[in-house]
Amino acid sequence: MVIKNLTENLGQFYFDLKKSLKQFYQNSNFYDKKISKTKDISLGYKPSPHLLSSIVKYQKKKYKIEDFALEAIWQNNLKYEEFKKLNNFFWFFSLDLKSSKKTTQTIIDNWIKKNDRYNKKSWDFDITSKRIISWLSNHQLTFEDCKDEFRKKFNQSIQKQTNHLLNEIKNLAEVENKIVGCAAIILTGLAYKDNNNYLNNGLNLLKKIINLSINNNGFPKSRNIKQLIFYLKYFIIIREWFKESQHIIPDYIDETIFYLGQNYAFIWQNINHDILFNGNYISNNNEFDQYLKRFGYVFKNENKEVSGYAILRNKKIILTMDIGDSPRNNFSKFYQSGVLSFEIFSNSKKLITNSGFFANKQSKLNKLSKSTALQSTLTIEDHSSCDFSKFDKSDQVVKRGVRIIKKNVISEDNYWKISGSHDGYLKKFRTIHEREIEFYPEQMKFIGFDKLLKKDNSRDIKFDIRFHLDPGSKVMKTQDNKSILIELGDEGWKFNCENFDINIDNGLYLGIKNLYKENQNICISGLSKDKIQIIKWEITKL
């Protein structure tokens, strides 16, 4: 223990020292001179702002720059989130084009005067990336009809900020920030055609991001659905910039969009519902679907399983299950230990759900939402199927992962089955968890089998199987204590398990971003005494 603590302290000391030296270097004249190496080049390509409508929340009402209290918006007591929004200049997208160009350019000029040298806060990587994209995309206000002195200052500032991104991007851990930064670098390269350095570097970085973070099936290695959609949005924006600027679109960008789009069709467009696995929460991607339609992107995918997600569906029922490995720790900050968890939709209403993901990393609910107990699957002795450790003070990443041993998906007209087994409890409890869920469409009946396969029979182990319900569901236990009735809108369902205790427990539903509601869950509890323990349960429509 002493050696472990000493090692951790030395590691933290090295990390803090490295961070301090980096901050000292970036605030030095040497670094300022390094990123100030710019060229007197002209802005050529001017991107259309509507290309970013998939990532920018446009206001229905457009504002004039004069509507803002220009002195007040730069006040020093801003909360960090407000500071970010102000300094990334994405609020420019909400401005009416009838706004004063002179006033808009004066705001940028004042920002440059105040922030010409690097400072940690306003030159944050993500803020700087978005600021470059906003300034260039809103050129009708930020650049057109400007004076020569401002034009030169604007061009130099864009290049200087881009130089900072190029210097920093290799040190980033967060792939999302890398994608946004890479997009900003590429846009600078397309906009300033006389400097191929930005475009070539941006494209090389994009290739590395693809190879590093996207698997062979075109799904992010994190297995995070939101990240999949995030990637697809930015790759399409980059492609549209190439197209609009009349540059040849690299084949690997088209190929990446094709596979990301196929996975998007599988995970969202085929079912038009959010499934709450591994960092996902209710998002509603209908506006993005309209964006894709407007720009002519059509994706199809008729597979039954992609990257560890099985989805079976007909006109009334959707059954989906997580039958995938946990991601490697460096891709696991969104992972929720819900291997073999499942969800059921009936007539567009959620019958069985996972609890959802609490995105705010500073909240205790973030860590709680990653536990197996908040997923619709089995736990042993109140342990999660994988272990997490703290990374970078706030992120919880997988320390000991889980692997799928076997899996199978069958989809026929009158019979569905999804099955799988995993090793998440093997080391600690010498036990394999195997799950099989069958669905009989004609009878509207689900039959589940959860099996505990012990490597030895030296001890009894306690298990719980939870079935989380939507907050709008109503439940009631029958008098014989063998069944639970579920009222879901105008539908009635019966849950029963003959040989084990079933109860109704209170829980938390985290399906809406950074909000929580009370919900209820059905819980089967018992002791596994045999070497092979089978727990059978049924869900039948009344």
Side-chain angles (χ1 to χ4, degrees):
M1 182 61 74
V2 174
I3 294 174
K4 182 180 179 182
N5 289 337
L6 180 62
T7 303
E8 289 179 351
N9 289 335
L10 286 172
Q12 188 62 45
F13 172 77
Y14 173 75
F15 176 80
D16 292 340
L17 178 63
K18 186 178 179 181
K19 190 174 181 181
S20 297
L21 290 173
K22 180 182 175 182
Q23 289 178 4
F24 178 78
Y25 165 66
Q26 289 184 322
N27 287 312
S28 68
N29 289 330
F30 183 80
Y31 185 69
D32 186 63
K33 287 180 181 178
K34 179 181 179 181
I35 62 175
S36 296
K37 293 177 181 178
T38 61
K39 296 181 179 180
D40 186 13
I41 50 180
S42 300
L43 181 64
Y45 164 57
K46 298 172 183 177
S48 300
H50 74 274
L51 298 181
L52 287 109
S53 59
S54 63
I55 61 170
V56 175
K57 292 183 179 179
Y58 284 96
Q59 304 288 337
K60 290 183 179 179
K61 178 185 176 182
K62 288 290 185 178
Y63 297 94
K64 290 186 177 181
I65 192 71
E66 294 82 4
D67 294 335
F68 292 85
L70 297 180
E71 294 299 324
I73 63 172
W74 297 105
Q75 60 187 312
N76 293 322
N77 60 344
L78 290 173
K79 294 180 180 178
Y80 184 62
E81 286 302 315
E82 294 172 334
F83 178 88
K84 282 170 60 178
K85 290 177 182 178
L86 182 64
N87 280 270
N88 68 25
F89 285 87
F90 262 40
W91 55 280
F92 273 9
F93 289 99
S94 298
L95 294 178
D96 193 316
L97 291 178
K98 295 178 181 178
S99 294
S100 167
K101 296 177 183 179
K102 183 178 179 181
T103 304
T104 307
Q105 291 162 12
T106 299
I107 289 173
I108 294 175
D109 190 47
N110 289 338
W111 186 94
I112 293 172
K113 288 176 182 176
K114 186 178 179 181
N115 299 278
D116 182 54
R117 287 177 65 96
Y118 167 85
N119 71 77
K120 182 182 177 182
K121 198 172 180 183
S122 61
W123 283 61
D124 169 84
F125 191 91
D126 183 62
I127 292 174
T128 303
S129 303
K130 290 178 178 176
R131 182 166 55 242
I132 291 169
I133 292 171
S134 180
W135 284 8
L136 291 174
S137 297
N138 289 287
H139 55 85
Q140 289 169 294
L141 291 172
T142 63
F143 192 79
E144 283 187 2
D145 302 328
C146 66
K147 294 181 179 179
D148 288 341
E149 183 182 354
F150 175 80
R151 180 180 288 108
K152 185 176 181 180
K153 190 180 292 187
F154 181 91
N155 290 338
Q156 287 177 337
S157 182
I158 290 286
Q159 293 178 70
K160 186 173 182 178
Q161 292 178 69
T162 307
N163 290 341
H164 169 64
L165 297 185
L166 282 168
N167 189 71
E168 276 293 284
I169 195 167
K170 61 181 179 295
N171 300 319
L172 290 181
E174 298 222 359
V175 183
E176 296 93 331
N177 285 351
K178 282 188 175 183
I179 287 282
V180 181
C182 198
I185 294 165
I186 288 171
L187 180 58
T188 302
L190 292 170
Y192 296 95
K193 297 180 181 181
D194 294 335
N195 191 343
N196 292 326
N197 182 52
Y198 294 127
L199 186 57
N200 292 336
N201 277 315
L203 289 175
N204 287 333
L205 288 165
L206 196 63
K207 287 180 185 177
K208 289 179 181 178
I209 290 171
I210 294 169
N211 294 332
L212 173 72
S213 62
I214 299 178
N215 67 23
N216 293 333
N217 297 318
F219 211 101
K221 292 179 181 178
S222 64
R223 299 186 60 232
N224 176 253
I225 295 166
K226 289 207 168 299
Q227 198 172 70
L228 166 72
I229 298 170
F230 178 88
Y231 277 30
L232 181 58
K233 287 179 177 180
Y234 269 94
F235 271 90
I236 286 176
I237 288 168
I238 291 169
R239 184 184 188 277
E240 291 301 316
W241 284 336
F242 268 89
K243 183 178 176 182
E244 188 180 59
S245 63
Q246 298 183 338
H247 276 72
I248 296 173
I249 302 166
D251 290 341
Y252 60 86
I253 291 180
D254 280 336
E255 184 179 349
T256 303
I257 290 172
F258 173 77
Y259 287 111
L260 288 171
Q262 277 199 325
N263 292 326
Y264 177 71
F266 172 82
I267 214 79
W268 165 261
Q269 289 183 324
N270 288 353
I271 59 176
N272 204 35
H273 291 287
D274 287 291
I275 56 176
L276 303 183
F277 296 96
N278 301 325
N280 204 20
Y281 45 80
I282 303 299
S283 57
N284 193 333
N285 299 299
N286 292 327
E287 287 186 7
F288 182 45
D289 288 340
Q290 291 300 315
Y291 175 94
L292 293 173
K293 185 177 180 180
R294 190 161 66 249
F295 285 92
Y297 291 90
V298 179
F299 304 116
K300 293 182 180 180
N301 193 332
E302 297 302 322
N303 291 328
K304 307 303 179 186
E305 186 216 338
V306 169
S307 290
Y309 295 111
I311 300 178
L312 304 180
R313 60 191 171 95
N314 59 25
K315 292 181 179 179
K316 295 181 178 180
I317 297 293
I318 299 169
L319 170 64
T320 179
M321 187 190 290
D322 181 351
I323 50 173
D325 297 341
S326 60
R328 296 203 312 268
N329 62 353
N330 53 324
F331 296 107
S332 65
K333 67 175 182 175
F334 300 114
Y335 183 69
Q336 296 171 275
S337 47
V339 61
L340 303 189
S341 65
F342 75 106
E343 295 193 324
I344 297 173
F345 295 84
S346 174
N347 289 313
S348 297
K349 295 183 285 290
K350 190 78 75 81
L351 175 61
I352 302 295
T353 183
N354 287 319
S355 288
F357 181 70
F358 202 82
N360 183 357
K361 294 183 288 187
Q362 309 305 321
S363 172
K364 292 180 180 179
L365 291 176
N366 175 265
K367 182 178 180 181
L368 180 64
S369 69
K370 294 186 174 188
S371 66
T372 301
L374 266 72
Q375 325 306 321
S376 289
T377 188
L378 176 142
T379 60
I380 293 179
E381 300 286 359
D382 298 320
H383 282 77
S384 289
S385 54
C386 63
D387 294 332
F388 291 90
S389 61
K390 188 173 283 190
F391 173 78
D392 195 22
K393 296 184 179 179
S394 55
D395 283 324
Q396 294 280 335
V397 298
V398 171
K399 180 181 179 182
R400 180 188 56 80
V402 57
R403 292 290 173 264
I404 292 293
I405 299 170
K406 61 179 181 180
K407 59 184 176 181
N408 189 29
V409 180
I410 298 173
S411 177
E412 299 172 355
D413 288 344
N414 296 315
Y415 178 73
W416 299 354
K417 184 174 81 169
I418 305 176
S419 62
S421 61
H422 71 86
D423 66 358
Y425 298 118
L426 183 58
K427 185 175 181 180
K428 194 170 291 183
F429 300 106
R430 302 287 295 157
T431 300
I432 299 291
H433 174 212
E434 184 176 301
R435 166 168 276 183
E436 180 180 296
I437 298 178
E438 300 175 320
F439 176 58
Y440 297 87
E442 291 181 346
Q443 302 173 46
M444 291 296 281
K445 175 185 282 192
F446 295 88
I447 300 177
F449 300 90
D450 281 290
K451 302 176 185 178
L452 297 176
L453 311 176
K454 297 182 186 177
K455 294 300 181 181
D456 57 59
N457 203 25
S458 58
R459 55 173 289 199
D460 296 345
I461 56 174
K462 173 182 171 292
F463 66 85
D464 296 285
I465 309 173
R466 291 179 177 83
F467 305 80
H468 295 273
L469 305 173
D470 186 87
S473 299
K474 298 178 182 178
V475 290
M476 181 180 67
K477 201 171 186 180
T478 58
Q479 289 184 345
D480 61 6
N481 290 326
K482 294 294 185 183
S483 300
I484 290 175
L485 303 179
I486 306 170
E487 183 182 326
L488 181 67
D490 57 356
E491 295 182 357
W493 292 79
K494 183 175 75 171
F495 180 98
N496 70 286
C497 178
E498 290 289 335
N499 300 320
F500 293 91
D501 292 335
I502 56 173
N503 291 291
I504 300 169
D505 292 339
N506 294 323
L508 289 175
Y509 177 78
L510 308 169
I512 302 171
K513 185 179 180 180
N514 289 334
L515 294 175
Y516 65 89
K517 294 181 178 180
E518 292 185 358
N519 73 338
Q520 293 178 301
N521 59 79
I522 299 168
C523 186
I524 303 174
S525 300
L527 284 176
S528 175
K529 298 182 178 182
D530 302 322
K531 197 167 183 180
I532 299 177
Q533 182 74 64
I534 301 175
I535 305 101
K536 180 183 177 184
W537 46 267
E538 297 181 359
I539 305 175
T540 309
K541 188 174 183 182
L542 299 176

